[in-house]
Amino acid sequence: MNHLLKAMGFWIWGLVAIGLSVSVVSVSYRMLALYRSHEVQAHPGSSPALGAAFPALPNSEMQPAVTNVDTPRIRADQPAISRAGQPMNSRILGSDIRAAQTALQNKQWSEALKNLEAAAAKSPLTAYDSKTIEEYRGIAYVRLNNLKAAQTAYEASLATGAYKAEELAKLFRLLFELAASNKQDAKAIEYGERAAAAGAANENDLLIMSQLQYQQHDCKNSGVWGDKAIAAFKEAGEPPKEVLYQLKLQCASSVNDVAGMKAALVDLIRLTNKTSYWNNLIRLERQDERDDRNTLMIYRVMFDTHSMNADTDYIEMAQLLGDAGLPGEAQAVLEEAMSSGVLKDEHKERTLRLLGAMRTRTEADKERLRAFDAEASKNPAGQLDVKLGEVYFAAGDFQDAVTALRRGIGKGQLLQPDEAYVSLGRSLTAEKDLEGAKQALAKLKSLPNISLRVLTLWNLYADMLPETVSQPL
């Protein structure tokens, strides 16, 4: 088990690294969307950068920061307003603030900063005066893509204590985005917690919080914020992001929490249906299985989900099928191994010998198929009908397979009813009767003594039947 987890761990770390690099790198660009279509107006009771409602963040914003940000509409003819709603002393700040507003409107960011520097040198300044100057500085620095300076400016504006409660919520969210883009994880977490507490964090913000906690090696809190993000995405009518479950997977892997890994992989399969996740889940389930019959049932899930990627898996599955008296299905598995390109040179001779033996046995089964059908039809027990159905399935005669399997199930007296329902589900799937296949596989839940591993995998397979399995990462 430890060897398997170690081998999977390398893959999982690489997977999470990909997810994090795409998601976290985009934070700074997504943060800049806060300014898109944003009016920067000085009017009673509002803050120049935070007065308007923040637009919703897109899922991914990877375009250049400054060139794609709309110019704010600024009323340069309106004097700046004090916190009490009265115009500030124009002799002290009025001309400099108006000049800064005009420069921002004309995208003259450096010129705006000069005007703001002049305003900051005036005295005396009220807390609201300082807040206004720092907010405008923050806007200019963002447009210049100097996000560290922008963060410093907004932190200085926060320190003035001149914010109303509704403004603080928006400011915390803005500072959260800035700190995250500046890779100041601890500060970003602090601001994110305050933004979330104020109800200003959306599902993407919660996702970033989960990532930041993960990067701090705090898997517990990463999971807490991840669950909040997942719930928020669902509430918004959107599927949760894949990286949220990848983080859960890596955290479980890091402490050898096999149950946690399985749960995360199931969630990832339900979200993406990727063959890479199927492969890893099935390997975990198969690792401790000691019953050959159950192992074959597990291999069938791997084969049917197209997630079998090792030649040794094909070979072992074919051997198990041969031992179960199903050379036709074994032949199909080995032929798939030959055509898929996964077969290693050192295994070719062995595989060809095994394939030749299975072909000989398959031809013998075909010669006696009609006699077998007649014998099974007359037998009052259903076991022969089930075996007949499996032979028909291997031969690609899915309609006759369905007929024989249903007849056998109807008669009863089956030694392994789970195999009968799985074979019926697979045959109906091949016949494109997906609803019938789901109904057949649903019968597994009511069977006594069925392997929990087998039940879990085939139930998941049934749930994913309407979907198309995608390719690995």
Side-chain angles (χ1 to χ4, degrees):
M1 174 62 76
N2 288 335
H3 177 74
L4 174 67
L5 292 175
K6 183 178 180 181
M8 286 184 63
F10 288 115
W11 173 81
I12 295 168
W13 271 114
L15 185 74
V16 174
I18 292 171
L20 288 175
S21 65
V22 171
S23 187
V24 175
V25 167
S26 67
V27 169
S28 60
Y29 297 105
R30 292 175 53 258
M31 180 276 300
L32 293 172
L34 295 173
Y35 294 94
R36 182 162 292 185
S37 302
H38 195 158
E39 285 191 17
V40 183
Q41 289 188 353
H43 60 276
S46 76
S47 178
L50 303 171
F54 282 27
L57 290 175
N59 289 337
S60 177
E61 178 105 9
M62 298 298 292
Q63 298 177 354
V66 175
T67 57
N68 288 285
V69 177
D70 296 337
T71 304
R73 297 190 297 275
I74 302 169
R75 292 171 55 186
D77 60 333
Q78 180 177 355
I81 303 297
S82 71
R83 189 173 188 182
Q86 300 299 320
M88 289 187 292
N89 190 327
S90 59
R91 184 176 61 82
I92 297 177
L93 284 185
S95 60
D96 293 319
I97 289 296
R98 283 195 295 271
Q101 290 175 323
T102 300
L104 289 174
Q105 184 180 30
N106 294 328
K107 300 183 180 181
Q108 297 172 342
W109 319 123
S110 297
E111 183 64 25
L113 288 172
K114 291 180 182 178
N115 297 133
L116 293 168
E117 189 67 29
K122 300 295 175 62
S123 180
L125 296 179
T126 67
Y128 190 81
D129 296 338
S130 298
K131 166 193 168 189
T132 301
I133 292 170
E134 296 302 338
E135 284 182 344
Y136 279 141
R137 275 178 172 161
I139 294 170
Y141 282 128
V142 167
R143 296 307 196 279
L144 289 169
N145 205 27
N146 188 345
L147 302 185
K148 289 185 178 180
Q151 180 181 338
T152 299
Y154 280 110
E155 286 177 335
S157 71
L158 175 63
T160 65
Y163 282 92
K164 298 179 181 179
E166 62 271 20
E167 293 177 328
L168 277 174
K170 297 173 183 178
L171 179 60
F172 288 142
R173 183 180 174 212
L174 177 57
L175 282 168
F176 161 67
E177 297 276 3
L178 282 166
S181 66
N182 290 330
K183 299 182 179 180
Q184 297 180 16
D185 293 356
K187 275 193 173 183
I189 290 171
E190 177 187 349
Y191 291 132
E193 289 173 345
R194 298 177 79 173
N202 66 16
E203 57 272 17
N204 287 295
D205 300 327
L206 299 173
L207 180 153
I208 295 168
M209 282 291 289
S210 179
Q211 292 176 327
L212 291 171
Q213 297 284 3
Y214 170 81
Q215 290 169 182
Q216 295 292 301
H217 306 289
D218 187 346
C219 277
K220 180 179 179 180
N221 279 315
S222 176
V224 170
W225 287 98
D227 289 340
K228 290 179 182 180
I230 290 168
F233 275 110
K234 290 180 178 178
E235 186 177 349
E238 297 182 34
K241 301 304 179 187
E242 186 175 356
V243 70
L244 288 166
Y245 297 113
Q246 290 174 344
L247 294 173
K248 288 177 176 290
L249 178 59
Q250 180 57 59
C251 283
S253 175
S254 66
V255 293
N256 286 358
D257 177 6
V258 177
M261 292 173 67
K262 289 179 181 179
L265 285 165
V266 167
D267 286 332
L268 284 163
I269 288 169
R270 291 189 183 280
L271 181 69
T272 71
N273 212 19
K274 288 180 177 177
T275 57
S276 52
Y277 298 133
W278 272 111
N279 182 276
N280 280 275
L281 175 62
I282 293 169
R283 286 184 180 282
L284 283 174
E285 293 289 6
R286 187 196 64 185
Q287 182 69 16
D288 294 325
E289 183 57 64
R290 296 294 179 262
D291 184 276
D292 285 350
R293 194 175 68 83
N294 290 335
T295 299
L296 176 56
M297 295 278 272
I298 292 171
Y299 267 130
R300 281 171 163 167
V301 181
M302 184 181 278
F303 188 81
D304 288 2
T305 55
H306 313 291
S307 58
M308 190 172 283
N309 57 15
D311 61 352
T312 51
D313 291 336
Y314 285 98
I315 294 169
E316 184 178 0
M317 181 179 180
Q319 290 173 327
L320 290 171
L321 286 165
D323 294 342
L326 296 170
E329 189 177 345
Q331 176 184 333
V333 168
L334 291 171
E335 287 174 347
E336 176 66 23
M338 298 288 289
S339 63
S340 66
V342 301
L343 195 61
K344 296 180 180 178
D345 290 340
E346 58 265 31
H347 296 150
K348 283 185 178 179
E349 183 178 351
R350 174 190 175 192
T351 303
L352 287 172
R353 286 200 309 269
L354 184 59
L355 178 57
M358 293 303 168
R359 282 173 174 168
T360 299
R361 292 173 58 184
T362 300
E363 290 302 316
D365 281 352
K366 287 180 179 178
E367 290 179 3
R368 61 183 299 269
L369 191 55
R370 289 189 178 181
F372 188 11
D373 196 330
E375 180 185 358
S377 298
K378 295 177 183 178
N379 196 301
Q383 191 61 39
L384 287 180
D385 292 295
V386 171
K387 182 64 69 175
L388 175 66
E390 291 177 326
V391 172
Y392 275 131
F393 176 86
D397 190 347
F398 305 122
Q399 186 173 4
D400 282 343
V402 170
T403 299
L405 288 162
R406 281 178 168 162
R407 188 172 66 207
I409 291 171
K411 290 179 180 178
Q413 302 181 51
L414 303 179
L415 297 178
Q416 285 92 27
D418 55 340
E419 291 184 2
Y421 285 115
V422 165
S423 294
L424 179 58
R426 297 178 79 204
S427 299
L428 288 167
T429 300
E431 281 284 280
K432 309 301 182 185
D433 182 0
L434 300 185
E435 186 57 37
K438 291 169 77 72
Q439 291 174 3
L441 294 172
K443 295 291 186 180
L444 296 173
K445 299 175 184 178
S446 62
L447 298 180
N449 304 320
I450 185 172
S451 163
L452 181 58
R453 294 186 179 97
V454 171
L455 178 61
T456 298
L457 290 173
W458 280 108
N459 280 344
L460 183 59
Y461 174 85
D463 289 343
M464 302 308 297
L465 272 179
E467 307 295 333
T468 300
V469 175
S470 64
Q471 293 303 308
L473 290 176

